Amino acid sequence: MPFSAKPTTKDPASYANFTEVTVRHMDLKYCISFEKKTMEAEANYILDVLTNEAEKISLDTRDCDIHKVEVNGHEYAYKILEPEKEYKGHNLVVALPKGLRVGDEVKLTISYTVLPESLSLQWMAPEQTIDKTHPLVFTYNQPINARAIVPCMDTPSVKSTISYQVSAPKSLQVLFAAVESKGPEVDQEHPENRIFYAEQKIPIPSYLIAFLAGNYVSADISPRIRVWTEPSIIEKARYEFATTEEQLQLAESILGEFVWGRADMVVLPNSFPFGGMENPNMIFLTPSLLAGDRSLVHLVTHELVHSWTGNLVTNATWEHMWLNEGFTKYYERRILGKQFGEPRRAFQNINGWNQNLIPVVHEQFHPEHPWTAMVQDHSVEGDPISAFSMIYYEKGQVFLYTLEKLLGREEFDTWMHKYIADYTGKSLNTDEWRAHFLAHFADKADALAELDLDKWLYGLGMPPKQPSYDTSLQEECQKYADLWADADPAAAEHIDTSIYENFNALQKIEFFSLVRNHKNVVESKVLEVMERRLNLGHLTNVEMEYLYILAGLRARWHSIIPRAMAFVEKNGRLKFSRPVFRELLSWDQTQKDTLVLFHRIRTQMHPLGAEMTMLELKKLGLA
């Protein structure tokens, strides 16, 4: 009997009634005021009626002061309902004209002000930026903060085309997750501003709405790729991301045509809370990738792969985020294998298991925590921000790698091409994915039954089985980490340092990961010897620095404390800052000073970064 699947009809993180009416297009207009830290805004929507019973449209909103609502050119009454749960914000309900039928079109206009506390925005004074010359504001909306910049159906189940008009001071550049539709013009109502225009013609979910205004210049990488940065780091970025066109072509060779036209990138300040964000046409990136040796640009590959898995084919709700991130991580490493050889891919998979998966299961959560499952239920405690972790990425990747080995890579890719073709422009849940997958591989039903898909999809903790990866590159790292972990200070003086010197950057990262997670805690006196003999006093690679600091904190090494404090003050990327904050808050010697530091820098952090760090305080009863 074929596996039955029903499409998603409700998103627990949204009030949207998307089975009754949906948004086909949004025309977004903003006027930015850095002085007030507000945006005067107007959103014009084209709605499609999906049932004859549609009587209202139900939208998500927060941090927006609604002034007026019009339906088909006439002012309409509306209701703003109190939050069901704090993280969901408010429910904006607008009655629709009576007698609507399936297929009818409705035009909706909402005039409003985006308030200073908007969770979508980070407002930065000049001194908070990289060059410290101009102010900056940027959006970040994943998973559910688009509602903090526009009342919308803030669920990945709804996709629409977007047009933008943004008015900003003349000295600034405005960049969009869209393609420029015409050149900037003087704003006649605000002559000190220019209006920038852009169009996103491919339907996208609300979390991919994105723009920024700041002092940015650009460098071309290829005819379809440009990198934008503040002026002082443009040459660093041009060098670091010079291989992006090659990465995109490799992605196309596996996944098919890149349909978005442009794949531009912009480097944000250190407060940006993630490594990257896959905004279409304008990938947002952290400056921590600028290592000077291109050792971290696989993250750019990851964001490019989202052009297929996530941006075209999308998880219907955040309970199914593995459909975005698991597939993207899997194909990111497939591309690395094609670019540098399968041993490199295997090495990255092992590193993901050791550095990302083990800590998230055993430190961020615990092996019985419901959010260690790939597919989750957010209907009770459904805050997708709190649930977010590397589970979706690494556990999803391990699952897909296991399927590749079971079914064959060529057969798996044949299915993948059909999957992308069938679901482009759509959103789906895990049951729909499963039905599509099992129908294609009906001849492999016995093998898949033996694998036990339920155990992989819904099981808690670590994956049911660790794949047998090629360990040739990792074994050297493990042996070298063992030498240091098993040594006393006297023996550490005689460990061969040339082994470390001959490691490539990724092997060094893996070495620090193994030291950090070793069954034997590397004692502080040994770390002192390691730092001196391996010249670790100033690590320019943020991955190495982060893991080395965690090893020092685990050993309760007092000398690492100032370095750890400086690290979390400078680095807003949650992958790094959150675990370091967690260790500092868990140590009696550093807890008080860490609390003082957090409250001092909180207003300089991205709102999402501050919120996620607060979760660590709450876990420890400190907030």
Side-chain angles (χ1 to χ4, degrees):
M1 174 184 284
F3 184 83
S4 61
K6 295 181 179 179
T8 296
T9 58
K10 178 66 178 172
D11 183 342
S14 172
Y15 300 108
N17 59 331
F18 56 84
T19 60
E20 299 173 9
V21 61
T22 192
V23 180
R24 189 203 321 157
H25 178 76
M26 287 195 285
D27 178 24
L28 306 179
K29 301 176 182 179
Y30 297 98
C31 183
I32 297 171
S33 171
F34 281 97
E35 182 182 1
K36 297 178 181 178
K37 295 184 178 178
T38 62
M39 295 186 188
E40 294 304 316
E42 181 182 283
N44 295 282
Y45 313 73
I46 298 176
L47 311 178
D48 288 330
V49 177
L50 303 179
T51 72
N52 293 337
E53 290 74 40
E55 297 178 345
K56 65 182 181 180
I57 181 168
S58 180
L59 302 175
D60 303 295
T61 187
R62 66 175 300 156
D63 308 331
C64 293
D65 183 13
I66 309 295
H67 304 316
K68 186 169 69 171
V69 173
E70 295 177 77
V71 177
N72 292 337
H74 302 285
E75 190 165 349
Y76 259 54
Y78 59 90
K79 292 188 292 185
I80 299 177
L81 306 180
E82 289 302 306
E84 290 178 358
K85 296 177 181 177
E86 184 179 354
Y87 70 84
K88 290 180 72 170
H90 292 86
N91 181 194
L92 173 62
V93 180
V94 181
L96 295 177
K98 296 185 182 303
L100 292 173
R101 293 292 179 263
V102 173
D104 285 352
E105 177 184 290
V106 178
K107 292 183 178 179
L108 171 70
T109 299
I110 301 176
S111 303
Y112 62 101
T113 301
V114 182
L115 300 174
E117 61 267 28
S118 170
L119 285 180
S120 171
L121 300 173
Q122 181 167 17
W123 296 92
M124 305 188 76
E127 58 270 20
Q128 293 175 272
T129 66
I130 292 171
D131 284 3
K132 306 185 187 307
T133 59
H134 293 73
L136 167 68
V137 63
F138 66 89
T139 65
Y140 184 87
N141 291 328
Q142 192 180 38
I144 57 169
N145 283 339
R147 65 193 69 184
I149 197 170
V150 56
C152 61
M153 288 188 160
D154 199 6
T155 167
S157 284
V158 174
K159 295 184 176 184
S160 65
T161 53
I162 311 286
S163 57
Y164 297 90
Q165 295 182 39
V166 175
S167 175
K170 287 181 178 179
S171 60
L172 303 183
Q173 175 73 43
V174 178
L175 303 174
F176 302 92
V179 176
E180 184 180 66
S181 53
K182 66 177 179 177
E185 300 173 339
V186 173
D187 185 340
Q188 298 300 324
E189 294 185 18
H190 305 276
E192 70 281 8
N193 285 8
R194 292 185 297 169
I195 301 176
F196 293 77
Y197 302 87
E199 191 84 23
Q200 180 52 259
K201 294 183 179 180
I202 298 176
I204 60 170
S206 56
Y207 72 88
L208 295 176
I209 294 171
F211 61 89
L212 66 83
N215 181 33
Y216 280 83
V217 296
S218 66
D220 285 344
I221 302 297
S222 76
R224 58 179 174 174
I225 300 174
R226 179 177 296 149
V227 62
W228 293 83
T229 73
E230 294 183 56
S232 67
I233 60 169
I234 189 63
E235 292 307 319
K236 284 184 180 178
R238 186 204 301 267
Y239 171 80
E240 205 76 30
F241 304 129
T243 62
T244 306
E245 176 62 36
E246 177 189 355
Q247 293 165 270
L248 182 53
Q249 288 180 18
L250 286 168
E252 287 183 295
S253 73
I254 297 173
L255 292 165
E257 180 188 3
F258 176 78
V259 301
W260 299 88
R262 297 201 61 83
D264 294 339
M265 303 171 284
V266 58
V267 179
L268 294 171
N270 282 305
S271 62
F272 183 58
F274 294 99
M277 179 61 207
E278 62 270 20
N279 301 316
N281 305 122
M282 189 62 67
I283 294 170
F284 284 12
L285 295 172
T286 169
S288 66
L289 300 183
L290 302 178
D293 57 7
R294 299 177 183 158
S295 59
L296 302 178
V297 297
H298 57 84
L299 189 142
V300 177
T301 306
H302 182 91
E303 305 308 335
L304 290 171
V305 172
H306 270 304
S307 302
W308 292 267
T309 53
N311 296 6
L312 283 183
V313 181
T314 311
N315 49 234
T317 73
W318 299 109
E319 300 156 301
H320 306 276
M321 194 178 183
W322 80 274
L323 291 169
N324 276 22
E325 298 297 353
F327 274 93
T328 302
K329 182 60 69 178
Y330 167 80
Y331 277 105
E332 168 204 328
R333 292 185 181 151
R334 280 281 304 278
I335 290 166
L336 284 175
K338 196 165 185 176
Q339 193 172 14
F340 300 109
E342 280 299 303
R344 166 75 173 270
R345 178 193 178 198
F347 182 76
Q348 289 289 90
N349 283 338
I350 294 169
N351 181 273
W353 184 282
N354 292 332
Q355 185 183 332
N356 298 331
L357 196 51
I358 291 174
V360 76
V361 170
H362 294 282
E363 295 173 19
Q364 183 175 343
F365 301 122
H366 57 77
E368 297 301 315
H369 197 291
W371 289 343
T372 60
M374 271 171 50
V375 184
Q376 301 172 2
D377 179 2
H378 292 177
S379 61
V380 179
E381 286 298 327
D383 181 0
I385 296 174
S386 300
F388 176 82
S389 78
M390 296 304 290
I391 289 291
Y392 307 117
Y393 301 69
E394 296 293 351
K395 204 168 180 180
Q397 185 282 140
V398 172
F399 174 56
L400 296 172
Y401 181 94
T402 301
L403 291 176
E404 174 202 321
K405 294 303 177 185
L406 177 68
L407 303 167
R409 181 182 298 179
E410 186 175 338
E411 291 81 357
F412 187 84
D413 284 349
T414 297
W415 164 77
M416 185 64 181
H417 292 151
K418 179 171 173 50
Y419 172 64
I420 292 173
D422 289 348
Y423 281 99
T424 283
K426 301 175 183 177
S427 304
L428 76 162
N429 58 42
T430 299
D431 281 352
E432 291 172 289
W433 167 83
R434 186 171 179 169
H436 189 278
F437 186 80
L438 292 178
H440 184 86
F441 288 106
D443 60 329
K444 303 288 179 63
D446 291 343
L448 289 167
E450 189 175 337
L451 184 67
D452 192 349
L453 293 182
D454 281 346
K455 197 170 185 180
W456 280 90
L457 295 169
Y458 302 101
L460 304 181
M462 297 296 287
K465 183 179 180 182
Q466 182 175 12
S468 298
Y469 296 125
D470 177 349
T471 60
S472 55
L473 291 175
Q474 199 262 354
E475 284 171 357
E476 297 176 66
C477 306
Q478 184 68 63
K479 289 175 183 177
Y480 199 57
D482 289 344
L483 286 176
W484 288 97
D486 296 339
D488 58 26
E493 293 286 357
H494 302 286
I495 294 175
D496 185 357
T497 59
S498 68
I499 297 173
Y500 176 82
E501 291 162 3
N502 290 327
F503 280 162
N504 62 38
L506 292 172
Q507 286 178 300
K508 289 178 180 177
I509 292 170
E510 178 65 4
F511 163 68
F512 287 117
S513 177
L514 292 166
V515 167
R516 181 246 171 155
N517 292 309
H518 204 281
K519 62 181 180 181
N520 300 328
V521 177
V522 182
E523 60 179 278
S524 59
K525 294 291 185 183
V526 172
L527 288 172
E528 288 179 6
V529 177
M530 181 191 291
E531 179 165 311
R532 172 170 47 81
R533 298 195 65 226
L534 300 184
N535 298 314
L536 306 181
H538 181 65
L539 289 166
T540 58
N541 185 300
V542 69
E543 295 267 1
M544 299 180 201
E545 175 79 352
Y546 150 74
L547 292 164
Y548 181 59
I549 286 170
L550 287 180
L553 292 174
R554 185 187 181 209
R556 297 301 188 245
W557 181 25
H558 286 77
S559 297
I560 205 71
I561 295 172
R563 195 162 167 178
M565 293 285 195
F567 183 86
V568 293
E569 184 167 5
K570 178 183 178 182
N571 289 282
R573 186 176 171 187
L574 285 165
K575 175 185 176 182
F576 303 136
S577 64
R578 194 175 177 187
V580 176
F581 262 120
R582 187 184 302 132
E583 286 292 332
L584 286 168
L585 291 165
S586 300
W587 186 5
D588 291 344
Q589 296 259 350
T590 54
Q591 186 179 93
K592 183 178 178 181
D593 288 344
T594 305
L595 285 169
V596 171
L597 172 67
F598 171 66
H599 289 297
R600 176 169 63 81
I601 67 173
R602 184 177 180 182
T603 57
Q604 300 172 35
M605 298 172 72
H606 188 277
L608 186 58
E611 183 178 349
M612 297 290 273
T613 306
M614 277 298 296
L615 291 176
E616 300 300 330
L617 272 67
K618 290 176 181 177
K619 285 180 186 176
L620 294 168
L622 299 173

